[in-house]
Structures are given as structure tokens and as C-alpha cells.
Amino acid sequence: MHDRTDDRLVTDFVGGDEGALRILVERWERPVFVFLVRMLGSPEEAEDLCQDTFIKLMHASARYRPEGRFQSWLFRIAGNQARSRLRRRRILRWLPMSDDHDTTAAPGPDALQGMAGEESRQQVREAIAALPERQRQALVLKQYHDMSYQEIADAMDSTVNSVQMLLHRAMQALRKDLAKREAR
Amino acid sequence: MMPSERHPDGLELQAYFDGELDPAQARAVQAHCETCPECRTELGALSEVSALLLSTPAPELPRPIWGEVRPMGEAEFRFKPLWGAAACAAGIALGVLIGPTSVLTGGDAAETEWTQTSSLWSGETTSSLLGVYEVTGE
């Protein structure tokens, strides 16, 4: 569609090229929206925050350093939006923040056999929603956006080792959760 | 113990599954898994979970975002007062009297002063009793 890189588009936008911003928005609006839906579970909220993400990008663009890390920078903005919204939900509902880890053994792969269809997809969505936020964020970025550990670390302002741990815990938690749901 | 006999721990298996190990490490884990049913089972479980995750379809964006975020020559603003109704009323009165120009910041918040016209490119941020606005494309 357009041959300018993301970094070039940001630079051009900062220089006054509104069309460059439009290309960026049209290129990235769907991945950002998909990410936010998977983080929040609500397409309506995701649409709102998707707009907010690009508005924030617009205002922060003068500070962006074009070093080939646009995706991580964009998803950092989106991730911060999502986590702010999730924090607000918790405050409103008086729910405790949870970073608990279940240390019991994970079920084997056969426990997940037979999951198919819309019901199973709903169970997957619920299981993802049940993950602690940082595990969910790392998992979504890895599984659905195919970002590397380093890119995820940049997006989450974290380290590769932390990302690795988050993903490991997320996958283990999902295995157990999905096996329990399948067993019901 | 030969490298292929060493069980990789959960983190290493996860990294192998994610394609994050360097080639030498990846070969060692692969060689081990070829002869270790326990580690193959773990990898199988990771593969199953990953497949289930990917089976949930990506949601569709209901409408393009561009119309909601584009900077506009003559902008319409949605007012979000910071300091309450009294400040809003004072701000509106001041805006009518003084006729400030609108600016957009490159900082974290969108702070503008109300006006009939605006320019995205007019640089500086000014905090203002007039309140805080978000630029929309409405």
C-alpha cells in the first residue's frame, strides 16, 4: 500500500505531513483494536481506547526516536491505555488486584481435547480475561501479534527475562483453566 | 551428563516453543525432546494451548479510526473541564473576551485553549484556566 516505513511516517508527520499520520493510523488501527479487545474483552471500550491511543501517539510523536521500534512504542501506548482502564474498572468494582500463581501441576495436552466451536472460543476468551494483566498483555502480544520477547519487553517497559516468565506463567495458567472448563 | 540428557526447564521449553533460543540452544533442546517423552508432552501441551488461542477469531474494527483522530484545520472540541463548572464558566467568558489561539502539545495530555480555528502545528503548550480539551473529528 505505502512504501514508507513507520519511522519515516512519524518523522514526516512531525514535519507537517498529515497524510503520513493517516497512513500510520490506517496501517495500525486494526492490530491496535484487536490487541485492546483481547485485553479488555469489550469491543466498545477497545474502540474508544483505540482512538485515544492514536491521539496520544499524535501528541507524543515529537518525542519519538526513529530507531525501528515503532510497533513496541505504539503497543506501549495502547497497553498503558488498557491497563489504566482495567485499573479504573477494579476501583469501581472494588475488586482485589490479583497476581496469584497456582503452583499445582498443569494437566497434560489430552485434557484439552474436544474443545471446539463457539463455546470453546468463549471459554478461551474467558480464560484470557482471567489472567493477571501483565501476563495477559505479554500473552496477547506474543500469540496474536507475533512480537519477539525483546519487542514485548520494550512495549511493556520490562526485560526479556520478565517477559519470558510472564509468558510461561500465562501458558501454564491457561492450560489449567482451560482443562477445568473442559472438564465441567 | 550429556547435553541431550538435561531436561530443559519450563522457561527454556517456553522459549524454544516461541522460537527465542539461539540456534545452539534450540538444537540442544530439540535433540533432548526427540528422546524424552516427558518434554515432548510439555511441548505438545504448549502447542495445544497456542492452537486454542489462535482459534478465537480476531474481532473486526467496526469503523475506521481516522475520522475520529485526524487533526483538523478548524477543529471541533469536546470539552472536559478539569476544575469544575465555575472554572468552565469563567473560561468561556475569558475565551470570548480574549480570543486565544488553540495549540496542541507534543506532551502527554491534549491541552488546548478554545478557539474557532486551530492548528496542529503551532507549537507550544500552555496550561490554561480554560480547561482541557480533546480534539475530535466530529
Side-chain angles (χ1 to χ4, degrees), chain A residues 73-136:
Chain A
W73 180 63
L74 175 62
F75 278 97
R76 182 189 291 206
I77 297 173
N80 288 342
Q81 294 287 312
R83 289 172 67 187
S84 290
R85 181 61 60 92
L86 290 167
R87 263 196 303 276
R88 197 189 309 172
R89 274 189 199 166
R90 276 197 304 277
I91 290 168
L92 290 174
R93 295 177 189 172
W94 297 94
L95 288 176
M97 296 174 68
S98 171
D99 263 313
D100 295 338
H101 304 296
D102 182 352
T103 57
T104 58
D110 291 346
L112 303 177
Q113 292 292 337
M115 293 195 78
E118 180 53 34
E119 187 184 342
S120 77
R121 285 192 283 273
Q122 182 58 25
Q123 289 177 339
V124 169
R125 284 189 280 265
E126 289 172 2
I128 294 172
L131 289 173
E133 282 169 21
R134 286 181 63 78
Q135 288 182 21
R136 189 185 326 155

